Amino acid sequence: MIGKIKLIDENGLRVDGRKPGELRPVKMEVGVLKNADGSAYVEQGNTRVLAAVYGPREIHPKHLTLPDRAILRTRYHMVPYSTDERKSPAPTRREIELSKVIREALESVIFVELYPRTTIDVFIEVIQADAGTRTAGLMAASLALADAGIPMRDLIAAVAVGKVNGTLVLDINQVEDEFGEADMPIAMMPNLGEIVLLQLNGVLTEEEFYEALKLAQKGIVQLYEIEKQALMRKYCLG
Ligand code: ADP
C-alpha cells in the first residue's frame, strides 16, 4: 500500500497544495514565557512547538558536575493532545531517542566550555504534531538559547525532506511522512555551513540523497532568515 497512495496530483502539487520545493507557512516568536530564562515558539503548518531554556545554573544532583564545561540536559516531549489519538504523557522510546539526538545537535553549537560546573536545561514541548517536530524543536531550542543569552557558534535551522510517489519534497507533513518512501530530517548551522543532525528513514539513491540535501539547504536558508527576524523583533525594534 505504501507508495501507492496518491501524494502528488496531476499538476505536480502535494496533498496540501504545495509545490515540491515549498515550505509550510512558518511563524516564530521569541520570549514567549515569562518564567524561563529563554523561550521560543515555532509553528510550521500544523506542527507547533514550544521551547524553554533554564541556565546556566547549578546542577542537582551535584555529582553530574563537569569541571571544564556546562552539561546540557534536553527533554523532547509530546503533550497528550498533540497527536490525533491521545498519547501517553510518559516518555516513549521515541521521545528518549529524540531528546538524545537533539542534545547532541545542540551541544555542537553551544560554547559549553564557557560555563564549567553548571547545567543548561532545554525543554521542548510539542503541542501539536504534524511531522517535522524534531526539526521545529531544534529551531525553537536554538532561538530559546539565544533568548537566554547563551553564546552559540550559530543558530540551528532545520527541515525534513521526503520522497513521495518518487518525488523529493521539502518540509513533509504527517501524511507524507507516513505514506511516503523516505524522510530525512536535516539540521544545520547555516552560516558555518555545518550539518549538526542528519537522519534518514527509508531508502534514497545516492543521487537522490544529494538532491534532497540541496533541497533541504534551500529551505534552511529561508528558515534561518525567519529565525533572525524573530530575534530582531524582540531585540532590535522598539
Ligand atoms: P518528526 O516529528 O521529527 O517528523 P517522526 O518522523 O518520528 O518525527 O514522526 C512523524 C510524525 O508522526 C510526528 O510529527 C507526529 O505527527 C506523528 N507521531 C509520532 N509519534 C506519534 C504518536 N505516538 N502518536 C501519534 N502520532 C505520532
Side-chain angles (χ1 to χ4, degrees):
M1 200 64 192
I2 289 181
K4 294 218 173 108
I5 289 180
K6 195 168 167 189
L7 294 168
I8 302 277
D9 72 10
E10 35 298 313
N11 301 316
L13 299 179
R14 298 155 67 179
V15 281
D16 54 10
R18 278 183 293 158
K19 296 188 189 109
E22 206 176 322
L23 290 171
R24 292 179 284 186
V26 189
K27 273 192 209 158
M28 298 191 193
E29 201 179 330
V30 173
V32 291
L33 302 171
K34 174 172 79 69
N35 294 331
D37 294 325
S39 59
Y41 171 75
V42 170
E43 188 176 303
Q44 268 182 293
N46 285 319
T47 287
R48 291 171 194 181
V49 180
L50 204 52
V53 167
Y54 294 86
R57 62 182 178 180
E58 223 176 280
I59 307 178
H60 299 287
K62 277 227 170 347
H63 68 83
L64 295 175
T65 305
L66 291 178
D68 57 343
R69 65 178 194 92
I71 63 161
L72 183 64
R73 295 189 291 199
T74 306
R75 187 184 77 154
Y76 162 99
H77 179 245
M78 286 171 105
V79 300
Y81 53 84
S82 64
T83 51
D84 43 6
E85 268 185 44
R86 181 185 179 276
K87 189 208 141 277
S88 157
T92 59
R93 285 180 61 166
R94 175 178 169 277
E95 288 170 299
I96 294 165
E97 182 213 316
L98 287 188
S99 300
K100 177 179 180 284
V101 294
I102 289 172
R103 173 173 52 74
E104 287 168 352
L106 293 175
E107 259 171 357
S108 57
V109 244
I110 300 171
F111 288 104
V112 282
E113 61 278 14
L114 293 180
Y115 301 102
R117 295 179 296 281
T118 66
T119 180
I120 298 167
D121 295 326
V122 180
F123 296 91
I124 295 168
E125 289 293 321
V126 177
I127 51 183
Q128 193 167 280
D130 190 22
T133 61
R134 79 194 66 195
T135 46
L138 269 167
M139 290 194 285
S142 88
L143 287 173
L145 285 160
D147 187 38
I150 293 173
M152 289 183 286
R153 292 177 176 83
D154 197 356
L155 289 169
I156 291 180
V159 73
V161 176
K163 183 179 164 190
V164 298
N165 297 165
T167 304
L168 292 175
V169 292
L170 182 64
D171 189 15
I172 50 170
N173 61 31
Q174 190 174 328
V175 178
E176 293 171 329
D177 184 298
E178 215 171 313
F179 299 105
E181 297 97 272
D183 73 281
M184 185 163 87
I186 298 168
M188 292 187 70
M189 293 193 267
N191 207 29
L192 298 175
E194 280 180 36
I195 293 174
V196 294
L197 174 140
L198 191 152
Q199 297 177 292
L200 172 60
N201 187 12
V203 180
L204 295 177
T205 63
E206 190 179 339
E207 199 179 319
E208 284 169 343
F209 173 82
Y210 287 109
E211 198 58 38
L213 202 54
K214 243 197 271 171
L215 193 57
Q217 273 175 302
K218 187 187 126 192
I220 281 170
V221 168
Q222 295 170 49
L223 291 162
Y224 191 45
E225 283 311 307
I226 300 168
E227 288 183 304
K228 287 190 283 186
Q229 282 164 19
L231 281 168
M232 285 195 283
R233 268 200 308 280
K234 179 162 182 215
Y235 288 102
C236 299
L237 302 176

